[in-house]
């Protein structure tokens, strides 16, 4: 499928602008409610979702949209989808509430259970990460400088990246199997981006996450030369009957999973 990724960059940026209008308005940024799972929901989530879903439906009317804020689509309907957009209009809502800037707009295109295109926009820093098979993997910074993304395949001295708000002892046990010498923490899908641009070499998440949390990041990391698999090395797939993800492992290459680097 021929998709103009530049149109998606525009959509992501427009969603980011909608988020920032609320983020920079104290009267609106403090309006937080909680979903049934106790995850936070802000006016910015809703504003970004409105922008993205409308623009995607105009851009590709034949491709359905699965969004965190519009998740209640029955599997009996979804299972027939060949392509679909997988969207998190504001990934890192907890980071938004904390006002640390580490939140993103995530847009991914899924084809036959695998992400084939991903866009991650960081509104506060004006960083854009994006990738597809046709376009390769790239980062655009706030000054408009475009840099190709490529993982760092070093065999020692690894940096692990992990979550600011989620961690478990089992994650440390997994990292101990690899040549990790330091760890950094960052919010949202930025963890995928740090591996994709060579700042880190491994990211392990015990769970749970949802499909829209990981789809765009997986596409960007894949086209940067890395891999996203289950902890046992199986493919990490999408459009499951349950949209809840299991644990996953991001590496600079699949051979590292086989401990050939040790």
């Amino acid at each position: 499928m021929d998709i103009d990724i530049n149109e998606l960059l525009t959509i992501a940026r427009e969603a980011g602008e909608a988020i920032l209008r609320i983020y920079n308005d104290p009267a609106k940024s403090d309006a937080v409610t909680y979903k049934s799972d106790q995850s936070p929901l802000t006016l910015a989530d809703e504003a970004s979702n409105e922008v993205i879903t409308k623009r995607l439906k105009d851009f590709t009317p034949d491709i359905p949209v699965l969004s965190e804020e519009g998740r209640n689509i029955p599997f009996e309907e979804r299972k027939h989808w060949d392509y679909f957009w997988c969207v998190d209009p504001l990934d890192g809502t907890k980071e938004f509430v904390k006002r640390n800037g580490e939140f993103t707009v995530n847009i991914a295109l899924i084809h036959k259970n695998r992400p084939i295109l991903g866009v991650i926009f960081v509104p506060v820093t004006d960083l854009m990460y994006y990738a597809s098979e046709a376009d390769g993997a790239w980062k655009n910074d706030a000054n408009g400088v475009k840099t190709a993304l490529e993982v760092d395949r070093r065999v020692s001295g690894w940096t692990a990246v992990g979550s600011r708000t989620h961690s478990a002892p089992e994650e440390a046990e997994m990292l101990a199997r690899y040549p990790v010498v330091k760890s950094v923490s960052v919010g949202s899908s930025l963890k995928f981006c740090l591996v994709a641009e060579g700042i880190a070499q491994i990211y392990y998440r015990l769970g749970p996450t949802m499909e829209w949390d990981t789809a765009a990041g997986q596409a960007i990391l894949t086209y940067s030369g890395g891999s996203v698999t289950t902890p046992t090395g199986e493919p990490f797939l999408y459009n499951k009957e349950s949209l809840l993800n299991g644990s996953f492992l991001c590496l600079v290459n699949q051979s590292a999973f086989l401990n050939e680097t040790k």
Side-chain angles (χ1 to χ4, degrees):
M1 176 172 289
D2 185 20
I3 296 287
D4 181 3
I5 202 166
N6 290 309
E7 181 68 18
L8 297 170
L9 305 188
T10 299
I11 294 172
R13 189 175 297 280
E14 289 177 4
E17 291 169 354
I19 290 171
L20 288 180
R21 283 194 290 271
I22 294 168
Y23 189 67
N24 295 324
D25 183 343
K28 294 181 178 180
S29 64
D30 290 341
V32 182
T33 59
Y34 289 86
K35 304 175 190 177
S36 59
D37 62 0
Q38 295 305 302
S39 59
L41 176 67
T42 70
L43 296 175
D45 292 82
E46 297 170 336
S48 177
N49 184 69
E50 183 176 351
V51 169
I52 295 171
T53 54
K54 181 182 185 303
R55 295 280 274 110
L56 286 178
K57 288 175 181 177
D58 290 343
F59 178 48
T60 55
D62 296 329
I63 301 179
V65 178
L66 178 67
S67 169
E68 178 176 12
E69 308 312 330
R71 65 178 76 183
N72 297 318
I73 301 173
F75 180 64
E76 286 302 308
E77 178 182 345
R78 290 191 288 109
K79 70 180 182 181
H80 300 293
W81 291 352
D82 194 28
Y83 289 89
F84 71 96
W85 295 108
C86 188
V87 173
D88 193 340
L90 201 172
D91 183 34
T93 303
K94 291 180 180 178
E95 315 305 332
F96 179 96
V97 173
K98 293 176 184 175
R99 302 194 61 79
N100 64 17
E102 294 177 356
F103 51 85
T104 60
V105 174
N106 299 351
I107 303 174
L109 181 63
I110 310 296
H111 176 51
K112 296 187 183 298
N113 308 109
R114 296 175 185 268
I116 61 168
L117 179 154
V119 174
I120 293 176
F121 180 57
V122 192
V124 169
T125 56
D126 197 21
L127 283 175
M128 184 79 76
Y129 297 87
Y130 58 99
S132 71
E133 184 175 12
D135 297 282
W138 300 90
K139 178 178 78 170
N140 292 350
D141 70 13
N143 296 316
V145 177
K146 181 177 177 179
T147 306
L149 296 175
E150 185 175 359
V151 298
D152 180 349
R153 300 183 186 276
R154 68 178 66 189
V155 298
S156 62
W158 280 16
T159 296
V161 62
S163 174
R164 283 211 186 279
T165 55
H166 305 276
S167 62
E170 293 86 351
E171 293 178 4
E173 294 172 10
M174 174 65 82
L175 296 180
R177 298 171 53 187
Y178 298 91
V180 174
V181 297
K182 67 176 181 177
S183 298
V184 297
S185 298
V186 68
S188 71
S189 58
L190 284 168
K191 294 178 282 293
F192 292 93
C193 299
L194 292 189
V195 181
E197 61 181 316
I199 294 173
Q201 288 73 42
I202 184 171
Y203 165 35
Y204 174 57
R205 176 63 184 266
L206 186 66
T209 58
M210 303 300 291
E211 291 191 2
W212 43 77
D213 294 319
T214 59
Q218 181 169 343
I220 290 168
L221 181 52
T222 298
Y223 293 116
S224 300
S227 64
V228 181
T229 67
T230 71
T232 56
E234 299 300 316
F236 198 70
L237 301 177
Y238 291 78
N239 205 20
K240 307 181 297 294
E241 184 167 1
S242 169
L243 296 169
L244 189 70
N245 287 330
S247 302
F248 61 85
L249 182 64
C250 302
L251 291 169
V252 291
N253 54 41
Q254 190 58 25
S255 65
F257 171 79
L258 302 174
N259 287 321
E260 292 178 10
T261 61
K262 296 189 73 174

